[in-house]
Amino acid sequence: HLLKYGKSRIGIDGLKNLGFYILAVLYFSIAVSSIFSTALLKKLGTYKCLIFGGFGHFCFVFAQIFPAVKYDNPENDSFITSNGFITTLLVICALINGMGAALIWVSNGNYISECATPKTKGFFYGFFWIVYMMSQVVGSLIGAAILNSGKQ
């Protein structure tokens, strides 16, 4: 039932394969930015890198509002619901998020190393991975609940 519903909605807003392209830009940006993230960490410091990375995630999540508005109001022909604006905004935010994500990964490892002693380092990294993996499980459950209760 959900698969049939999902297939009938693909491309209804005119954005078709935009999600695929945004993820490609995002992961390409992470890969390229990872090359420079250690140098930026040394120059800016852990705290500033974590703030910038958080801004990248915020930007990317905020940009997802505009396709949702377009989907909910298909008759709205304003600038913020135009395909050109949405595509440009999402690609730019994916680039910013990719740069920020690379910085976050380097910064969180550095931060844990700075906070931990050699004796507690294994516990701190283990705790980080438990929380990170649980966020994947909890996030998937929330996503499933949202999709299950969506428009029919």
Side-chain angles (χ1 to χ4, degrees), residues 88-109:
T88 304
L89 179 69
L90 288 173
V91 168
I92 290 170
C93 288
L95 281 168
I96 293 169
N97 189 23
M99 291 185 287
L103 281 176
I104 281 183
W105 276 108
V106 173
S107 299
N108 73 27

Side-chain angles (χ1 to χ4, degrees), residues 63 66 78-92:
F66 297 100
S78 68
F79 176 72
I80 64 167
T81 58
S82 68
N83 286 350
F85 173 76
I86 291 172
T87 302
T88 304
L89 179 69
L90 288 173
V91 168
I92 290 170

Side-chain angles (χ1 to χ4, degrees), residues 67-132:
V69 169
K70 179 179 178 67
Y71 178 76
D72 286 342
N73 303 302
E75 70 284 345
N76 188 350
D77 58 352
S78 68
F79 176 72
I80 64 167
T81 58
S82 68
N83 286 350
F85 173 76
I86 291 172
T87 302
T88 304
L89 179 69
L90 288 173
V91 168
I92 290 170
C93 288
L95 281 168
I96 293 169
N97 189 23
M99 291 185 287
L103 281 176
I104 281 183
W105 276 108
V106 173
S107 299
N108 73 27
N110 188 53
Y111 182 73
I112 291 172
S113 294
E114 288 174 353
C115 292
T117 65
K119 191 173 185 177
T120 60
K121 200 173 279 195
F123 172 76
F124 285 3
Y125 279 112
F127 186 76
F128 168 78
W129 279 105
I130 287 172
V131 171
Y132 178 66

